[in-house]
Amino acid sequence: MKDLNPRQQEAVRYIDGPLLVLAGAGSGKTSVITRKIAHLVQKCGIPANRIVAVTFTNKASREMKERVGHLISGAEARGLTVSTFHNLGLNILRKEHKSVGLKNGFSIFDDQDSRSLLTELSHKETAVAGEDVDYLRNKISQWKNDLVTPSQAQSHAAGEEEMRAAHVYSAYDRCLRAYNAVDFDDLISLPTLLFRDNEEVRERWQHKIHYLLVDEYQDTNTSQYLLVRLLVGRRARFTVVGDDDQSIYAWRGARPENLVQLAEDYPALKVVKLEQNYRSTQRILKAANAVIDNNPHVFTKQLWSEHGFGEQIRIIRCLNEESEADRVAMEIMHQKMQKGRDFKDFAVLYRGNFQSRTLEIKLQAYQIPYKVSGGTSFFSRSEIKDVMAYLRLVINPDDDNAFLRIINTPRREIGPSTLEKLAGYAQQRGVGLFAACDEMGLEQTLTGRPLQNLQRFSRWLAETTERIQRTDAIPAIQQMLRDIDYQAWLLEQAPSAKAAEKRMENVNQLVESMERMLGKQEEEDIAAVIGKLILIDLLEQRDEEDASDKVQLMTLHASKGLEWPYVFIMGLEEELLPHRNAIEEDTIEEERRLMYVGITRAQRELTLSLTAKRKQYGEEFEPAPSRFLDELPTDDVVWEGKGGEQRSVEQKKALGRAYMANIRSLLE
């Protein structure tokens, strides 16, 4: 407790009823959650196995586990649950699968699986474009988050387009059940509906959980909010931590209104505000407070800091996108060479990914190392998806998507016409594709080599499944990869031997990860490990801690939860930040929260940029400066280039000479 400020201590000690901790940016909310877990165990006598803490990302969950591990360990920490919402939902479904009509070993569909199935279902009616599939996927996700069943969606559909989506939703739901599968949204909606409708199951879980802690509460959607209510029950012993000013995910169902709803549902709710910021200078916080004050608030707070007042916020107006990118790159190089700052201490944030293209070219020209967030996910690599498809089929033989991915990977001379006949037979019999391969009746549909190839594959996979499930799983999986000669297949498919070797290294890394997971949690079987890996794939891209000296480039949305000493935010223009869609749909408040998140990423210095001219669809236009610039306190900002002027050629040459002189001095 000695490291906590008075408000943090108050939040940790209060356990007599429901508690909302309004935690401003950089106010030490993770410390409050982790210290409270230790306090519950060590001072309040609540066993760790009766405590559940949930958050939204694997990264946040890992950090929380590590920090709790420094406070309690061994027998004292045994059984503690620290997980994401979706991992908690997965664990509930594993234990209660029969109650929701699932068989053991059910599959989890990732976004690609869902899109493929929706495309197939849509094609049965008419040709479907990619944006139509996106609409269906988003609409079905919205319905599930709002706990709307397929039948309810059909009865309440407004208009022809929504009615068609509701029909596809119904078919999609039936297919998932036939495949013994769930999608990402089901991991929350199915447990929530189960607890809502089944009193016996609900009371059993309420008895298991004596205290619940929820991080990033402003990001909860309708189903997550209800799941929390159903888990805590009448006991209502919980702590939720959130900040309505950092709610930036309405487009994926988040409802900052849940913080207000909490006060209505729990009249005895205690509210503790964390307003001391441990990250930024007072001037940066003053700017953030000034901007966000333009949004309506039920709960008000003012961030403050003991880090001193700090440097003025710079606003740089450039001629166009190219000069904006050039100016940002030159500023970073200047600070690196003149002030000895590390590249990794800089972040450049923007509203849309397209804004990084010109900047990347400039950074490359100046030989400034950088990293763009949102690279290829480890689990989205084709070789990983291949191996995971084999493993998905091992734990769930009804997973037709996995079957179709691997049946000719590597090639087995099983053509499209053979698969079409197999699918027709399987549909007629009401069984999965894998099960259909072994049925005697298939001989009425297929004969000769196609039938032999299918049966050979079926027998081999059945034997492999038996080895993986009944013997030491890791050697059995390695044998499976040797059986199909997967390394040779990669060599055949890859553009070079080096690329094939790299892909095989990824496969080996996957197998090693499973081995570590089995070793750490001996009670887990291989099916549970595969299920967890599938969930990790869904929750996040591969998250490597990159300690190398690189400038970080990312969207404002991706920057939430992160911080850097020196931050640039590009494109402070109307229709960019705030975005045009927000202006047209009158959702400026969320864009302002996004601006607030960007400002509060900066620890020491903040620089904002905009352009006098910008190109769109090949046409040049003059964007208006962002309204958010007018909301900044005028005494705390300094404008540069307000008339559109840039550095002269002589100034640039002088700067170049200074860089070279610094390089020579560094080398000497």
Side-chain angles (χ1 to χ4, degrees):
M1 291 287 187
K2 61 181 172 57
D3 298 326
L4 302 182
N5 66 43
R7 296 287 75 76
Q8 290 174 324
Q9 291 185 26
E10 182 183 5
V12 168
R13 290 196 173 106
Y14 185 78
I15 64 164
D16 295 331
L19 172 67
L20 167 61
V21 180
L22 275 175
S27 62
K29 66 182 177 65
T30 306
S31 292
V32 168
I33 295 173
T34 53
R35 303 294 175 95
K36 186 152 195 172
I37 291 171
H39 180 72
L40 291 168
V41 174
Q42 296 172 336
K43 302 295 184 183
C44 304
I46 300 178
N49 64 356
R50 300 294 190 185
I51 299 171
V52 173
V54 291
T55 186
F56 280 84
T57 67
N58 279 319
K59 182 178 179 182
S61 176
R62 280 198 303 271
E63 181 187 354
M64 205 178 288
K65 284 179 185 174
E66 288 170 7
R67 292 174 67 167
V68 170
H70 293 307
L71 301 171
I72 57 173
S73 59
E76 198 174 44
R78 189 170 296 129
L80 174 69
T81 297
V82 178
S83 76
T84 62
F85 260 107
H86 291 88
N87 215 338
L88 176 64
L90 175 61
N91 290 335
I92 293 169
L93 288 180
R94 279 217 190 98
K95 291 180 171 64
E96 308 291 348
H97 60 272
K98 291 180 182 177
S99 300
V100 294
L102 291 169
K103 291 179 283 187
N104 197 17
F106 57 85
S107 296
I108 307 172
F109 269 36
D110 65 13
D111 190 57
Q112 186 175 323
D113 294 330
S114 294
R115 284 180 56 85
S116 298
L117 179 54
L118 287 170
T119 301
E120 179 187 338
L121 293 171
S122 301
H123 270 305
K124 289 182 179 179
E125 297 181 25
T126 180
V128 60
E131 56 267 26
D132 293 329
V133 176
D134 288 337
Y135 165 75
L136 289 170
R137 182 77 190 89
N138 293 334
K139 190 64 183 174
I140 291 171
S141 177
Q142 179 188 327
W143 275 324
K144 290 191 176 189
N145 288 336
D146 291 339
L147 302 174
V148 177
T149 64
S151 60
Q152 290 171 332
Q154 288 177 328
S155 62
H156 294 95
E160 187 177 330
E161 187 177 38
E162 197 165 287
M163 178 58 77
R164 178 173 171 269
H167 282 303
V168 174
Y169 178 23
S170 181
Y172 174 75
D173 190 63
R174 287 196 304 273
C175 285
L176 285 180
R177 299 300 160 258
Y179 296 163
N180 190 35
V182 296
D183 66 15
F184 194 53
D185 297 309
D186 287 329
L187 296 176
I188 305 296
S189 62
L190 289 180
T192 304
L193 291 170
L194 173 64
F195 290 156
R196 186 191 70 183
D197 301 334
N198 190 319
E199 184 179 359
E200 180 188 345
V201 175
R202 179 174 68 245
E203 288 184 351
R204 186 163 67 246
W205 280 86
Q206 288 175 353
H207 179 70
K208 285 183 180 182
I209 300 175
H210 288 187
Y211 205 94
L212 181 68
L213 303 100
V214 184
D215 190 17
E216 302 288 7
Y217 197 71
Q218 75 281 348
D219 292 338
T220 55
N221 58 32
T222 301
S223 56
Q224 287 161 337
Y225 179 85
L226 184 55
L227 180 61
V228 169
R229 280 195 60 195
L230 293 168
L231 282 172
V232 299
R234 289 186 295 273
R235 189 186 290 122
R237 299 184 78 190
F238 64 82
T239 294
V240 300
V241 181
D243 181 7
D244 50 345
D245 291 333
Q246 294 189 75
S247 182
I248 57 174
Y249 297 118
W251 49 277
R252 80 188 180 197
R255 298 179 75 253
E257 313 92 83
N258 284 347
L259 290 170
V260 180
Q261 186 68 43
L262 200 65
E264 295 175 4
D265 290 341
Y266 297 94
L269 181 74
K270 180 180 176 64
V271 179
V272 175
K273 297 179 184 180
L274 304 185
E275 297 173 295
Q276 182 176 357
N277 175 283
Y278 294 92
R279 175 188 298 158
S280 308
T281 64
Q282 185 59 39
R283 196 190 299 268
I284 289 171
L285 298 179
K286 182 183 174 186
N289 289 332
V291 169
I292 205 64
D293 279 348
N294 290 276
N295 273 3
H297 286 85
V298 174
F299 305 106
T300 59
K301 60 183 181 305
Q302 287 287 308
L303 296 180
W304 59 276
S305 166
E306 294 180 343
H307 286 327
F309 207 60
E311 300 291 329
Q312 283 187 301
I313 295 167
R314 298 166 66 212
I315 304 174
I316 303 174
R317 188 170 187 263
C318 307
L319 288 174
N320 51 38
E321 302 107 300
E322 186 171 351
S323 63
E324 180 186 38
D326 187 65
R327 182 65 185 270
V328 170
M330 287 180 68
E331 287 285 339
I332 292 171
M333 179 60 81
H334 172 74
Q335 294 189 44
K336 168 73 173 178
M337 304 309 300
Q338 296 287 340
K339 301 181 181 180
R341 293 171 176 172
D342 293 331
F343 286 128
K344 65 183 178 183
D345 289 337
F346 293 90
V348 185
L349 312 179
Y350 34 78
R351 182 62 177 84
N353 279 308
F354 72 91
Q355 291 173 260
S356 74
R357 296 169 193 161
T358 307
L359 179 61
E360 287 186 65
I361 294 170
K362 293 297 181 183
L363 292 173
Q364 289 169 0
Y366 285 106
Q367 296 187 326
I368 296 173
Y370 66 90
K371 178 184 177 183
V372 182
S373 74
T376 304
S377 162
F378 180 68
F379 286 90
S380 69
R381 300 175 189 276
S382 61
E383 64 272 16
I384 300 303
K385 292 189 81 69
D386 287 345
V387 177
M388 287 302 295
Y390 273 98
L391 297 175
R392 281 167 51 187
L393 202 58
V394 162
I395 64 171
N396 178 15
D398 293 326
D399 192 334
D400 285 356
N401 273 27
F403 179 91
L404 291 171
R405 182 176 184 94
I406 68 172
I407 189 63
N408 275 311
T409 305
R411 294 188 186 92
R412 294 186 176 87
E413 297 182 11
I414 299 171
S417 61
T418 299
L419 291 174
E420 191 174 349
K421 290 176 182 177
L422 175 66
Y425 173 80
Q427 188 174 11
Q428 182 183 352
R429 292 279 297 126
V431 298
L433 296 175
F434 179 58
C437 292
D438 248 358
E439 290 205 351
M440 295 284 292
L442 185 60
E443 295 178 8
Q444 305 301 316
T445 303
L446 283 169
T447 58
R449 179 170 288 185
L451 178 63
Q452 292 171 11
N453 290 341
L454 280 174
Q455 290 175 336
R456 186 181 305 115
F457 169 74
S458 173
R459 285 193 297 271
W460 169 79
L461 189 58
E463 292 167 1
T464 299
T465 299
E466 179 75 13
R467 283 199 302 270
I468 291 173
Q469 293 182 342
R470 302 297 180 195
T471 64
D472 194 345
I474 300 304
I477 291 170
Q478 291 166 335
Q479 182 60 49
M480 177 188 78
L481 295 171
R482 287 192 294 271
D483 287 347
I484 62 176
D485 202 0
Y486 191 68
Q487 191 160 5
W489 168 254
L490 290 177
L491 193 58
E492 181 183 332
Q493 298 297 308
S496 66
K498 189 173 182 180
E501 184 181 348
K502 178 64 178 172
R503 291 178 184 177
M504 196 63 204
E505 284 176 12
N506 290 334
V507 172
N508 291 334
Q509 184 178 342
L510 175 70
V511 177
E512 288 167 9
S513 297
M514 288 189 284
E515 189 170 21
R516 284 195 297 272
M517 290 171 75
L518 283 169
K520 284 181 181 177
Q521 302 182 33
E522 295 175 0
E523 74 278 12
E524 295 270 25
D525 60 13
I526 190 64
V529 167
I530 294 168
K532 282 192 175 179
L533 285 172
I534 294 168
L535 183 59
I536 289 170
D537 175 21
L538 293 170
L539 281 169
E540 63 172 16
Q541 294 184 337
R542 187 184 183 198
D543 182 31
E544 293 179 342
E545 291 298 328
D546 188 355
S548 55
D549 193 23
K550 296 178 182 178
V551 176
Q552 304 294 306
L553 313 183
M554 68 183 65
T555 65
L556 286 160
H557 281 98
S559 73
K560 187 169 176 289
L562 304 175
E563 59 187 61
W564 299 270
Y566 314 105
V567 170
F568 292 80
I569 305 178
M570 297 175 66
L572 266 295
E573 300 150 27
E574 290 289 296
E575 300 195 359
L576 193 50
L577 183 62
H579 196 274
R580 177 190 299 173
N581 293 345
I583 296 171
E584 292 174 353
E585 297 167 12
D586 195 23
T587 55
I588 296 297
E589 290 172 15
E590 175 141 341
E591 292 291 296
R592 188 174 283 111
R593 292 194 291 266
L594 196 57
M595 179 69 179
Y596 173 84
V597 165
I599 293 172
T600 54
R601 299 311 95 195
Q603 296 170 317
R604 300 179 205 165
E605 294 179 16
L606 175 66
T607 304
L608 312 175
S609 66
L610 68 157
T611 64
K613 294 180 181 178
R614 190 174 290 275
K615 277 188 179 178
Q616 188 175 50
Y617 309 119
E619 297 291 326
E620 197 170 66
F621 70 103
E622 297 182 4
S626 170
R627 69 191 71 190
F628 301 146
L629 295 175
D630 294 331
E631 296 172 358
L632 294 168
T634 54
D635 293 343
D636 298 297
V637 302
V638 56
W639 281 81
E640 298 178 19
K642 201 164 186 177
E645 68 270 12
Q646 299 291 297
R647 283 192 175 100
S648 67
V649 174
E650 290 73 20
Q651 287 173 318
K652 289 181 180 179
K653 285 181 179 178
L655 189 58
R657 287 194 294 271
Y659 292 161
M660 293 306 298
N662 274 282
I663 290 171
R664 282 194 293 271
S665 68
L666 286 171
L667 292 172
E668 289 167 2

